[in-house]
Amino acid sequence: MTTTPLDPEALGLDAVSQMGTALERRGELVQSYLSPALELLGVERSHDDEDRAVLLLLAVTLLWLADQGSTRLPVAGPEGKVALRAAFAALLGPDAELSALIERSVSLIASAGERLSCIGSTTETAPLIVAEGHLYTQRIYSLETRLVQSICEITTESTSSWEAADISAMLEQLLGGADERTRRKSHALKLSKEQQLAVLTSLHAPLSVITGGPGTGKTSVVISLLRALFLLGRGPSEIALTAPTGKAATRLSASIQEQLAALRSLPPLERQMFRSLQQPRTIHRLLGFSPSSGRFRFDRRRRLQQNVIIVDEVSMVGLELMTHLLDAVQQGAKVVLIGDPNQLPSVDAGAVLRDLLQKNPKLPPWAAVIASADDELDPEQAQRSLHTVELTHNFRVDSDDEGGRAVAAVSEQAMHGEVSFLDDESLVRKLSSVGEVRFEGVELLDATNSLSGFLDRWFVEGLGTNQVLDWLATPFQIEPGGFTHGEPELRALVKHLDLSRILCLTHGGSAGTESINSRLHGLMARHLGERETRPLLQGEPIIVLRNDYERQLFNGDTGILVDVRLNDDRVPRLMAVFPRPDGSLVAHHPDALRGHVALAHAVTVHKSQGSEFDHVAFVLPTRDGPLSSREAVYTALTRARKSVVVVGDERLLQLAIRRSAQRYSGLAERLATLTHGPRDLTPTGEPA
């Protein structure tokens, strides 16, 4: 973003000048917000000089908070003063004199309609909106209003009136019959009672929310829901599977295919329906986003044709994207939202999944038809929303993999803000040297002077093996129809790289992705006998940084660099190879992807969402900071299926687990009105 430094003289007197100087001292933190704030406000000359200064600060604060994930700022009562002080201190510095600014801000907002045209109420059109003691930008308030309207429209549809006999017959067929021996012989998915409740809720409710962490059986619910829809007469063309990122969509597709392969006696008609089902797509692709126009093909005027929309990894979906998605849902369609609310929230503003988890005092009526299972329904299910089901049982705890059980147990405790597991030797092995690392269960390695040594060990165990060199020595060849030589070896190499990943909280610093990728790139260069100055080397993993609609590559997609002969070329050239959701492999020249990809030996925890690995190394920052949170730790831990090595200071890990990421959002309050009060949530003066 091109920015223009704040021009205090153009705005007025000392108050603005002092504030401009204070803001500019903060460097890159707020520099990019100054011009957008001025453009947003269109500050009038008639405003008092101090008013203009405070308005500028409030606008910068809202724009900065939106980038931190919040949709609004509390400004009323004690909570408002605490929030204003925290935000102003982050922007102006902890040593700034804030009391007068806070009082001036509160006074300005309280008399907004009388003194200023750029702050208005919900019935007015103004750059900044005051609603229920909170300050919004007009744009975000409008998005939130539209989302509430869409949810209202969807949930006012009556629940499905399937015949009880049809539901019972469907359940019996879904579960493989009433006889246990028959079920074992058919290899039917064994569904717990809460999984059955999730499937039935998704079938009956117009909008359902299914939550649970990794290992709680969400994929089994998706497959069972799809089978149930087929058995009840829905066709593949009526169903859309979608996720926020290409990586999440690919992972959903792979998980479905893995579980389908285990259903050996799946009736041929059902298997054909699964083959006819369109592959999971990103939400942007589903909605027909056009990069050139910045618009979606499907919206309120032109709705999606599918009758059932199943959305995975909803914790990654922000306010704006969810608004566009639900805007496009046709009347009478069902929406099933699936995700883990304890993960890191979306990069974009909003906490949509968290805000959707409303309460209701009773179980839904369709719970009565649930078939027998080993578990009992958690009584807390009755305290959740009528259309929300939480999957609470982690099946990894039941597995024979001791390491996987330890990862699951530690993740559960971290999710609740507990740190006692760090003193439990049966769960965590504390290590003082790299040589002690076994890549089993949960290990905590003190990183003091040992990070470089750990990275050396990580490389030797992963890319530095003779097997990788053998795979890379394969003469890969591709023609217009696909790979004609070396495809099995290439797939083995891709699979090998996807078994493990290093996760970081930051890009910069010695414990960030940039430094770690540089270190591992150097190790790879020496291993291959190449020059370190070459930016990309064969055998290295890469990640897509932004959507590339022309090549159908999407943010978060991962691939590998290998030397490939194109058609009849005699000399191989370095190519970036990516697996597609349909199982195929595509190759692109790295020069064509310049600026769109980066090395992925290490990725941020945010980028890792939607992925799972057998082995994870979670490298903590060298000092505490706002990115270190309980949600970040939980997300990092739950990317691991078998083992995780936490590399860093135990004290910093404890601080992170005890700190929950805070986001200000008004969606939950307005949805509570939808659930327990009036259904018309459109503010007076707002278009419906």
Side-chain angles (χ1 to χ4, degrees):
M1 178 186 297
T2 302
T3 62
T4 303
L6 182 65
D7 182 2
E9 293 183 2
L11 282 176
L13 302 172
D14 290 343
V16 180
S17 179
Q18 291 168 6
M19 186 169 300
T21 302
L23 286 173
E24 289 181 357
R25 271 199 220 107
R26 302 297 292 165
E28 294 183 4
L29 176 62
V30 295
Q31 193 62 234
S32 61
Y33 299 108
L34 296 176
S35 291
L38 290 169
E39 184 178 349
L40 171 69
L41 292 175
V43 182
E44 298 176 6
R45 295 286 179 178
S46 59
H47 293 163
D48 177 89
D49 297 305
E50 289 191 9
D51 285 351
R52 283 184 282 166
V54 172
L55 279 172
L56 174 64
L57 179 57
L58 288 172
V60 166
T61 300
L62 286 175
L63 294 174
W64 172 71
L65 281 174
D67 278 354
Q68 308 307 305
S70 293
T71 62
R72 64 181 188 173
L73 172 67
V75 291
E79 180 193 6
K81 291 186 177 182
V82 169
L84 285 166
R85 179 172 294 278
F88 289 173
L91 290 169
L92 300 175
D95 299 328
E97 176 52 50
L98 302 178
S99 297
L101 278 175
I102 293 169
E103 293 301 327
R104 185 80 179 197
S105 298
V106 171
S107 173
L108 197 64
I109 292 166
S111 59
E114 304 168 10
R115 296 164 55 187
L116 303 171
S117 61
C118 53
I119 303 182
S121 67
T122 59
T123 61
E124 299 170 316
T125 300
L128 307 182
I129 297 294
V130 181
E132 301 297 328
H134 292 78
L135 189 65
Y136 291 81
T137 63
Q138 171 68 52
R139 178 177 175 276
I140 286 185
Y141 184 75
S142 297
L143 284 170
E144 192 175 274
T145 299
R146 277 172 50 196
L147 180 55
V148 172
Q149 289 170 352
S150 293
I151 292 173
C152 182
E153 291 169 5
I154 293 169
T155 55
T156 50
E157 293 287 333
S158 60
T159 56
S160 299
S161 55
W162 304 102
E163 294 292 336
D166 292 338
I167 290 292
S168 296
M170 177 274 296
L171 268 181
E172 183 171 341
Q173 191 167 350
L174 189 66
L175 299 175
D179 180 71
E180 176 65 24
R181 183 178 178 183
T182 304
R183 287 199 292 269
R184 286 199 304 267
K185 187 176 180 181
S186 67
H187 299 275
L189 286 173
K190 185 177 181 180
L191 297 180
S192 66
K193 285 188 176 181
E194 62 184 17
Q195 286 175 311
Q196 292 180 54
L197 178 61
V199 173
L200 291 169
T201 299
S202 301
L203 288 171
H204 286 86
L207 174 65
S208 53
V209 183
I210 312 301
T211 70
T216 56
K218 296 192 295 294
T219 303
S220 295
V221 168
V222 171
I223 288 183
S224 300
L225 173 58
L226 292 171
R227 291 190 65 199
L229 290 166
F230 295 155
L231 291 169
L232 291 169
R234 298 281 191 181
S237 63
E238 299 178 74
I239 303 167
L241 292 166
T242 188
T245 67
K247 184 64 177 179
T250 300
R251 177 62 194 160
L252 175 60
S253 177
S255 298
I256 290 174
Q257 294 306 318
E258 288 171 9
Q259 290 209 14
L260 282 178
L263 295 173
R264 301 176 189 173
S265 61
L266 193 67
L269 181 58
E270 282 189 54
R271 199 169 290 279
Q272 178 57 45
M273 285 188 166
F274 273 105
R275 281 196 290 266
S276 301
L277 189 67
Q278 190 161 24
Q279 290 290 332
R281 290 173 283 174
T282 65
I283 296 174
H284 280 81
R285 288 187 67 193
L286 176 66
L287 297 178
F289 180 72
S290 168
S292 59
S293 67
R295 297 180 178 275
F296 293 95
R297 180 186 180 198
F298 296 102
D299 53 23
R300 278 189 169 273
R301 293 179 296 276
R302 183 174 184 174
R303 307 288 181 121
L304 292 166
Q305 296 303 302
Q306 292 88 347
N307 295 319
V308 181
I309 315 293
I310 301 173
V311 190
D312 196 22
E313 295 288 355
V314 176
S315 66
M316 300 168 65
V317 182
L319 172 67
E320 183 170 5
L321 187 56
M322 184 61 76
T323 300
H324 285 299
L325 176 61
L326 296 194
D327 272 351
V329 172
Q330 67 167 307
Q331 185 176 5
K334 294 187 181 302
V335 179
V336 183
L337 304 177
I338 303 171
D340 184 353
N342 298 301
Q343 284 190 32
L344 277 170
S346 59
V347 174
D348 297 326
V352 176
L353 180 58
R354 181 198 70 188
D355 290 346
L356 286 172
L357 302 181
Q358 301 293 301
K359 301 279 187 178
N360 195 285
K362 60 181 180 179
L363 283 170
W366 48 82
V369 301
I370 290 175
S372 62
D374 294 339
D375 66 319
E376 292 297 328
L377 282 178
D378 182 351
E380 283 295 310
Q381 295 285 7
Q383 296 302 315
R384 300 184 184 105
S385 167
L386 185 65
H387 300 155
T388 300
V389 178
E390 181 182 7
L391 303 176
T392 59
H393 181 72
N394 193 321
F395 293 95
R396 292 179 184 174
V397 176
D398 303 332
S399 73
D400 295 330
D401 180 7
E402 185 176 343
R405 292 200 305 271
V407 172
V410 167
S411 301
E412 176 81 10
Q413 291 192 37
M415 179 184 75
H416 293 294
E418 300 172 9
V419 296
S420 58
F421 66 85
L422 291 169
D423 296 320
D424 188 340
E425 294 180 358
S426 68
L427 291 178
V428 179
R429 295 178 62 242
K430 294 184 181 180
L431 314 175
S432 57
S433 69
V434 173
E436 298 176 79
V437 176
R438 298 202 304 237
F439 299 107
E440 297 174 359
V442 181
E443 299 173 301
L444 176 60
L445 174 64
D446 185 343
T448 306
N449 301 319
S450 64
L451 178 57
S452 60
F454 174 77
L455 295 177
D456 292 347
R457 173 82 185 279
W458 180 268
F459 179 81
V460 168
E461 299 282 346
L463 283 175
T465 64
N466 289 330
Q467 178 64 78
V468 170
L469 287 178
D470 290 343
W471 283 327
L472 292 176
T474 304
F476 301 116
Q477 184 159 350
I478 190 171
E479 295 185 4
F483 279 87
T484 57
H485 193 277
E487 184 170 343
E489 292 82 358
L490 183 54
R491 289 187 180 278
L493 185 55
V494 169
K495 183 178 180 180
H496 178 75
L497 285 182
D498 276 343
L499 291 178
S500 59
R501 192 73 80 233
I502 298 175
L503 307 183
C504 308
L505 288 179
T506 63
H507 290 293
S510 61
T513 59
E514 293 172 357
S515 176
I516 291 176
N517 279 321
S518 176
R519 170 82 180 182
L520 291 169
H521 175 74
L523 292 173
M524 190 69 179
R526 290 193 288 277
H527 188 58
L528 297 174
E530 297 280 0
R531 299 187 311 275
E532 288 188 38
T533 52
R534 290 186 60 184
L536 300 172
L537 299 168
Q538 69 162 334
E540 291 195 289
I542 53 175
I543 187 168
V544 177
L545 302 176
R546 56 184 64 86
N547 294 336
D548 184 337
Y549 293 92
E550 179 183 351
R551 296 175 180 82
Q552 294 297 290
L553 296 175
F554 299 94
N555 186 3
D557 285 353
T558 54
I560 184 173
L561 296 159
V562 290
D563 286 337
V564 178
R565 288 186 176 88
L566 303 181
N567 302 320
D568 297 327
D569 288 354
R570 302 184 66 178
V571 178
R573 64 182 70 181
L574 189 67
M575 299 292 286
V577 177
F578 295 89
R580 301 296 295 272
D582 62 3
S584 63
L585 297 170
V586 295
H588 300 283
H589 197 284
D591 286 348
L593 305 176
R594 193 176 300 277
H596 285 253
V597 297
L599 290 175
H601 297 284
V603 299
T604 62
V605 175
H606 257 302
K607 285 287 188 185
S608 74
Q609 287 183 273
S611 303
E612 286 187 354
F613 312 96
D614 282 355
H615 308 285
V616 162
F618 177 32
V619 181
L620 298 173
T622 54
R623 59 175 179 266
D624 192 31
L627 293 179
S628 298
S629 68
R630 179 184 311 159
E631 291 80 4
V633 173
Y634 172 80
T635 302
L637 294 175
T638 53
R639 298 312 89 200
R641 287 184 288 255
K642 296 183 177 181
S643 79
V644 58
V645 183
V646 181
V647 184
D649 188 329
E650 180 180 341
R651 181 185 62 85
L652 294 178
L653 178 61
Q654 291 188 23
L655 287 173
I657 291 173
R658 291 188 172 116
R659 177 193 297 121
S660 183
Q662 184 179 38
R663 287 195 172 190
Y664 299 118
S665 168
L667 183 61
E669 292 177 15
R670 301 174 79 179
L671 289 177
T673 305
L674 174 67
T675 305
H676 304 297
R679 290 196 177 274
D680 182 10
L681 298 179
T682 307
T684 305
E686 285 286 334

